[in-house]
């Protein structure tokens, strides 16, 4: 790359990173995920290192964080909150240890390794044993006073066991379970979900209402004392914090060789999935505070500590072309064809680009070298782009105007990130709708797989759902189709006949109403009793359904009002589709309720657990705001106290027996 190309790339990267920083510090949420952000930043740093003359004094690479928001009072830190340098390989680690040892003129090392929690850094001040203030990192010099919100964090004592004054540092994070719950709720309310627990924690700490913060369930782990303690060792400091009743990062270990440090890092790479919260690496810190003082700081980070970043399961490949596909709901999904690469043992040739908003945020061009990741999902995704590898003639990827299948104009609603085909007769939508309709959880029609569905659509046999039930009148024509014999046609037609009496909840699910999954379909079906009742379903009834938010109510109501859908339902009824009513099982009627068992009971705790779980209860081990009941036997202690504080219904064994009978 020559200097002119580097200049262009640096400009582009700077603009993007500045935009993401603004989003993050103004809204508490950034439009690309951390991986994409880090990838852009590392390219910028790489280019600035190769072309030092192009480094701008106000380049985003020179900042520790960003600007503090105006929303909270800005407070100057007594001690700046710095960042850490990163290590990505064993060699990096060895070099770091060597440089530390040579600066200290010794050939041993005494370090403390700690897991690196992926949340947001916080500075916490206690005065004479009482919590006084909590400040976010902000730009490292000035942060936001978020004391009211931090006070809601359950595991932070607001009074210490001793009347000491301390300035502490720690990480606020959202446990994975809480994150999933919040996102489920957001999706239900048609709000965009948080991208990851870190963003959720950052968004939460900036909320104006501490009550909402309290409900979200943030947690805190401390990892440093920056003022108020004259000890010689960091490890001692952390033990001292624990003795005061403070929550301290429990996964820490003293290490005295490169091998031990490396072992700690690789162990946690493998064990991180078992933790209830996200971690993104290991922090390695010198234990001796005198040694720390001797080493000091660079302008951005301490020389006495560094972060080992976990290897992301990520590879690079080149985009050869992009295809747009239309799913059952009409959403257009761009999928990149890639030069085949190996990723976690499988060959990857295609990866999703999610939507055109994501494409433009990342600035993807055809021919770009991109980073491909396989997260928890089965489908690989493109998480970043290496703009330094961009071919000269590469063209930006532009969103299509028309549906690639039926050529009708694509629509994008204001609040939506997706482009959508809204032509209900679009063959791609029909294909997706039919595949969903006949699926196992839906009408469960065997012998009607996606290739047969496609054939029947293409040959004009099926134009809508009802046509499936009219196929029996076209037996002779079906027999003319390639690959169809007497046996296969009979099998297909009899599977179609059998499907007419599936339970009603399967049919409601099969209709593919937006926002209505299996559980919601069951709730609707219990209320309906029989299929014709669907046509007279009103808003009042829908609003009264358990767990139905306004988005679901609106979605079902609009679906039922739509003429085409009404015709389809009537057509199904006329064709003899008569689903079985859903049996209301009394067995799991406490599904969704959480109970905690405590104290000495007359029957074994396991027996109670079994009995309650059979009724649908979730039996949890600790009392929280999510607990609905506490089953309390004799000598109930701290759990009873907590339940009373949180207004949880406390039941004796007799009372519980009455409730479940
Ligand atoms: S020590 C001078 N210890 O990682 C900074 N940081 O990339 C000393 N973090 O800003 C930080 N867990 O927000 C330290 N056990 C841990 C940590 C930790 C998470 C975060 C923290 C810091 C960032 C540095």
């Amino acid at each position: 790359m020559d200097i002119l190309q580097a200049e262009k790339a640096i400009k582009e990267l700077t603009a993007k990173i500045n935009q993401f920083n603004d989003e993050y510090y103004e809204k508490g949420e950034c439009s690309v995920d951390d991986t994409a952000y880090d990838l852009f930043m590392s390219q910028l740093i790489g280019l600035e290192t190769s072309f030092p003359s192009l480094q701008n004094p106000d380049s985003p690479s020179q900042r520790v964080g960003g600007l503090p928001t105006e929303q909270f009072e800005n407070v100057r830190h007594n001690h700046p909150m710095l960042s850490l340098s990163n290590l990505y390989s064993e060699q990096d680690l060895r070099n770091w240890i060597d440089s530390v040892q040579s600066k200290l003129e010794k050939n041993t090392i005494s370090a403390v390794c700690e897991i690196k929690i992926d949340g947001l850094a916080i500075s916490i001040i206690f005065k004479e044993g009482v919590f006084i203030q909590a400040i976010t990192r902000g730009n490292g010099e000035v942060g936001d006073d978020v004391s009211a919100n931090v006070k809601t964090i359950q595991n932070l004592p607001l009074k210490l066991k001793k009347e000491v004054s301390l300035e502490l540092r720690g990480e606020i994070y959202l446990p994975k379970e809480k994150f999933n719950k919040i996102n489920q709720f957001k999706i239900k309310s048609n709000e965009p979900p948080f991208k990851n627990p870190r963003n959720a924690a950052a968004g939460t700490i900036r909320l104006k209402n501490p009550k909402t913060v309290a409900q979200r369930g943030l947690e805190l782990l401390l990892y440093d004392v920056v003022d108020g303690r004259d000890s010689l060792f960091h490890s001692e400091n952390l033990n001292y914090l624990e003795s005061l009743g403070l929550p301290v990062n429990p996964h820490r270990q003293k290490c005295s060789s490169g091998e031990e440090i490396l072992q700690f890092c690789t162990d946690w790479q493998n064990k991180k999935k078992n933790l209830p919260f996200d971690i993104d690496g290991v922090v390695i810190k010198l234990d001796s505070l005198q040694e720390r003082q001797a080493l000091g700081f660079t302008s951005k980070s301490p020389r006495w500590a560094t972060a080992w970043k976990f290897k992301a399961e990520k590879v690079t490949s080149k985009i050869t072309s992009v295809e747009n596909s239309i799913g059952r709901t009409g959403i257009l999904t761009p999928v990149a064809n890639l030069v085949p690469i190996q990723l976690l043992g499988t060959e990857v040739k295609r990866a999703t680009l999610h939507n055109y908003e994501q494409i433009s945020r990342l600035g993807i061009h055809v021919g770009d070298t991109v980073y491909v990741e396989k997260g928890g999902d089965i489908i690989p995704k493109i998480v970043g782009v290496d703009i330094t590898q961009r071919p000269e003639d590469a063209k930006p990827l532009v969103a299509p105007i028309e549906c690639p299948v039926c050529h009708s104009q694509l629509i994008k609603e204001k609040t939506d990130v997706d482009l959508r085909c809204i032509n209900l007769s679009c063959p791609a939508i029909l294909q997706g709708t039919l595949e969903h309709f006949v699926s196992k959880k839906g009408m469960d029609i065997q012998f009607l797989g996606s290739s047969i569905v496609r054939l029947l659509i293409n040959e004009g046999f099926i134009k809508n759902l009802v046509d499936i039930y009219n196929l029996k009148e076209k037996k002779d024509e079906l027999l003319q189709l390639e690959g169809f014999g007497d046996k296969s046609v009979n099998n297909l037609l009899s599977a179609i006949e059998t499907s007419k009496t599936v339970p009603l909840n399967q049919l409601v699910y099969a209709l593919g109403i937006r926002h209505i999954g299996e559980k919601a379909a069951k709730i609707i079906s219990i209320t309906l009793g029989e299929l014709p009742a669907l046509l007279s379903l009103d808003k009042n009834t829908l609003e009264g359904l358990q767990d139905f938010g306004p988005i679901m109510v609106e979605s079902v109501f609009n679906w039922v009002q739509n003429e085409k859908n009404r015709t389809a339902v009537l057509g199904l009824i006329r064709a003899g589709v008569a689903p079985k009513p859903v049996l209301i099982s009394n067995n799991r009627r406490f599904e969704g309720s959480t109970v905690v068992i405590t104290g000495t009971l007359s029957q074994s705790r396991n027996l109670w657990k079994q009995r309650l779980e059979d009724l649908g209860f979730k039996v949890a081990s600790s009392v929280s705001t999510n607990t609905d009941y506490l089953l309390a036997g004799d000598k109930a202690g701290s759990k009873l106290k907590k339940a009373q504080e949180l207004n949880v219904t406390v039941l004796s064994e007799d009372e519980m027996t009455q409730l479940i009978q």
Side-chain angles (χ1 to χ4, degrees), residues 455-557:
L455 179 73
L456 295 177
I457 293 176
N458 289 346
E459 295 295 327
F461 284 88
I462 301 184
K463 293 196 181 63
N464 54 49
L465 298 180
V466 184
D467 286 344
I468 296 177
Y469 294 94
N470 296 330
L471 282 175
K472 60 176 187 246
E473 274 119 52
K474 299 187 177 156
K475 194 171 170 184
D476 292 343
E477 287 138 277
L478 284 174
L479 283 166
Q480 307 300 311
L481 290 177
E482 210 184 303
F484 277 70
D486 249 344
K487 192 167 172 219
S488 51
V489 170
N490 283 339
N491 280 344
L492 174 63
L493 293 179
S494 99
I496 292 172
E497 279 309 295
T498 312
S499 76
K500 287 180 174 172
T501 51
V502 289
L504 180 58
N505 56 310
Q506 284 186 229
L507 185 137
V508 172
Y509 171 76
L511 294 173
I513 306 171
R514 264 186 101 188
H515 306 292
I516 301 302
E518 277 177 280
K519 195 174 157 206
K522 194 158 191 175
I523 295 169
I524 297 178
S525 305
I526 292 170
T527 305
L528 292 180
E530 50 181 16
L531 180 56
L534 179 64
L535 296 173
S536 44
L537 201 50
D538 58 38
K539 265 199 181 164
N540 251 348
T541 313
L542 285 164
E543 275 160 2
L545 295 179
Q546 190 199 337
D547 289 341
F548 267 55
I551 306 288
M552 287 160 84
V553 170
E554 204 61 25
S555 171
V556 179
F557 185 71

Side-chain angles (χ1 to χ4, degrees), residues 30-86:
C30 168
S31 61
V32 292
D33 63 13
D34 299 339
T35 317
Y37 181 92
D38 290 348
L39 288 168
F40 281 129
M41 184 61 96
S42 63
Q43 286 170 56
L44 178 62
I45 293 171
L47 286 172
E48 288 175 344
T49 315
S50 310
F51 300 92
S53 65
L54 296 179
Q55 192 184 64
N56 225 312
D58 64 350
S59 161
S61 67
Q62 298 304 300
R63 292 178 192 237
V64 175
L67 297 172
T69 55
E70 295 300 319
Q71 197 176 322
F72 297 94
E73 198 190 326
N74 289 170
V75 181
R76 183 161 289 277
H77 292 293
N78 298 326
H79 302 266
M81 289 184 80
L82 299 178
S83 190
L84 289 172
S85 58
N86 291 324

Side-chain angles (χ1 to χ4, degrees), residues 82-84 114-117 120-121 137 171 223 249 283 285 302:
L82 299 178
S83 190
L84 289 172
E114 298 165 14
I115 54 168
K116 185 171 182 298
I117 304 147
L120 63 132
R137 179 159 78 180
E171 197 82 352
Y223 54 68
N249 182 348
V283 183
K285 308 169 176 177

Side-chain angles (χ1 to χ4, degrees), residues 64 80-86 113-122 137 169-172 221-224 234 249 251 279-285 292 297 300-302 304-307 309:
V64 175
M81 289 184 80
L82 299 178
S83 190
L84 289 172
S85 58
N86 291 324
C113 289
E114 298 165 14
I115 54 168
K116 185 171 182 298
I117 304 147
D118 197 10
L120 63 132
I122 194 86
R137 179 159 78 180
R169 297 283 151 84
E171 197 82 352
I172 289 178
L221 284 173
L222 297 164
Y223 54 68
D224 211 0
H234 170 70
N249 182 348
H251 302 295
I279 60 173
D280 61 340
V282 166
V283 183
I284 306 152
K285 308 169 176 177
R292 287 189 182 190
F297 300 83
K300 280 182 281 181
S301 50
W304 44 261
T306 188
K309 295 289 270 223

Side-chain angles (χ1 to χ4, degrees), residues 323-335 354 403-406 410 418-436 512 514:
E323 282 169 28
N324 293 307
S325 71
I326 297 281
R328 134 178 106 81
T329 53
I331 289 177
L332 176 122
T333 307
V335 177
H354 300 291
C403 166
V405 181
C406 71
L410 294 167
D418 296 304
L419 285 167
R420 223 176 253 279
C421 171
I422 52 162
N423 168 17
L424 291 178
S425 323
C426 172
I429 298 180
L430 182 58
Q431 169 89 25
T433 307
L434 286 169
E435 280 178 18
H436 179 78
R514 264 186 101 188

Side-chain angles (χ1 to χ4, degrees), residues 272-291:
K272 69 172 185 186
K273 58 180 179 301
N274 304 327
L275 283 170
F277 50 84
D278 278 349
I279 60 173
D280 61 340
V282 166
V283 183
I284 306 152
K285 308 169 176 177
L286 290 189
D287 195 16
S288 156
L289 302 183
Q290 277 171 336
E291 286 183 356

